[in-house]
Amino acid sequence: MRKVIIAGNWKMNKTTTEAIELANGLKRELYKIDDIGIVICPPFTAIDEVAEVVYESNIGLGAQNIHWEDAGAFTGEVSAPMIKELGCVYVILGHSERRQYFHETNETVDKKLKSALKHGLTPIVCVGESLEEREGGRTFDVIRDHVTNSLEGLTPEDAKKIIIAYEPVWAIGTGKTATPEQAQEVHAFIRGLLTELFGRETAEEITIQYGGSVKPGNIVELINQKDIDGALVGGASLDVKSFSEIVKNCSRKGA
Ligand code: 13P
């Protein structure tokens, strides 16, 4: 059985003061939940302080990006050992916003993935098609390209340590969620690709999250799909009530 993992991607939101408040609120609301993996990914500036808040709690900590080198002359960048030392266990890689605005490619995602694994971090590798690509009937080609090339050179053993997030770009921040059937279709396709690449046993173990306008009201029907194992939540992760409800709606304990 794959564990359901709900991760909050705070993107470029929350000052450190605001981040501490949000993390404290989540800790209060979610301390009883033990059957769902809960992860929050604050901006770099707040990670250190948020790490103190969630220390020894059931909330895991992640970053939103890393550079592939451990150290060096890369102005403005942050590396895997740096976030690891602060207490991060997860790192989001290849988010569509990074692919779109910061020239992230499958090749750089792959290099970052190798660095994350080298340092014992769990990468959340994002893949997904744009509206134009979907409407042009190219969804499966884009997903195949993202998955095979972002995971290039990975061994089955390492593949078991990663999380994939399927985020259709047209559903991010738009209020347009993929229908559960649309999402399941792509998740099943991703599971098939992972089977081709790493074998069935490994593919069955990999958590595949859905992301794109996930809310308390639509998480249950998404999570009930066979190959949807969690969510990567943007906007709704910035509020204690909505993120907690998403997590609780996936948990057998409920509220
Ligand atoms: P929204 O939940 O705001 O649509 O964002 C999804 C996302 O990009 C998470 O990484």
Side-chain angles (χ1 to χ4, degrees), residues 1-157:
M1 265 293 273
R2 294 181 292 270
K3 189 173 185 184
V4 170
I5 300 175
I6 306 292
N9 173 10
W10 295 3
K11 307 191 181 183
M12 195 178 72
N13 294 290
K14 305 293 176 186
T15 64
T16 301
T17 310
E18 291 165 345
I20 293 169
E21 194 183 322
L22 175 53
N24 270 314
L26 294 173
K27 205 165 84 163
R28 269 196 304 276
E29 281 294 324
L30 296 174
Y31 73 97
K32 284 187 191 151
I33 306 289
D34 61 7
D35 57 337
I36 305 285
I38 310 167
V39 179
I40 53 176
C41 303
F44 288 128
T45 45
I47 288 175
D48 199 14
E49 301 269 6
V50 169
E52 269 187 46
V53 176
V54 299
Y55 182 67
E56 290 190 340
S57 76
N58 58 343
I59 300 178
L61 191 60
Q64 300 171 18
N65 181 34
I66 47 167
H67 191 274
W68 58 83
E69 295 288 347
D70 288 358
F74 299 102
T75 303
E77 293 289 308
V78 167
S79 71
M82 293 174 184
I83 62 158
K84 173 95 181 173
E85 191 179 277
L86 294 183
C88 284
V89 175
Y90 300 85
V91 61
I92 299 171
L93 296 178
H95 191 279
S96 62
E97 287 148 18
R98 297 219 51 91
R99 292 178 188 261
Q100 190 179 346
Y101 305 128
F102 304 101
H103 315 296
E104 193 94 74
T105 62
N106 291 326
E107 197 188 353
T108 59
V109 174
D110 189 44
K111 289 206 251 182
K112 292 174 180 201
L113 174 68
K114 307 262 169 62
S115 174
L117 290 167
K118 183 175 96 181
H119 292 282
L121 294 163
T122 299
I124 302 177
V125 180
C126 302
V127 302
E129 81 287 1
S130 67
L131 183 60
E132 195 192 345
E133 289 162 343
R134 175 160 282 261
E135 288 178 343
R138 298 201 302 281
T139 297
F140 294 116
D141 292 342
V142 172
I143 299 298
R144 177 181 288 276
D145 175 53
H146 283 177
V147 171
T148 53
N149 294 316
S150 300
L151 308 184
E152 169 72 35
L154 212 61
T155 62
E157 195 190 324

Side-chain angles (χ1 to χ4, degrees), residues 226-243:
K226 178 172 170 283
D227 290 291
I228 302 184
D229 313 313
L232 184 55
V233 186
S237 73
L238 299 173
D239 173 70
V240 173
K241 189 161 178 288
S242 56
F243 190 68

Side-chain angles (χ1 to χ4, degrees), residues 144 186-198 200 203 208 227:
R144 177 181 288 276
V186 179
H187 280 237
F189 179 72
I190 293 171
R191 185 99 49 216
L193 289 173
L194 296 172
T195 306
E196 276 175 36
L197 291 170
F198 307 112
R200 171 160 295 280
I208 308 177
D227 290 291

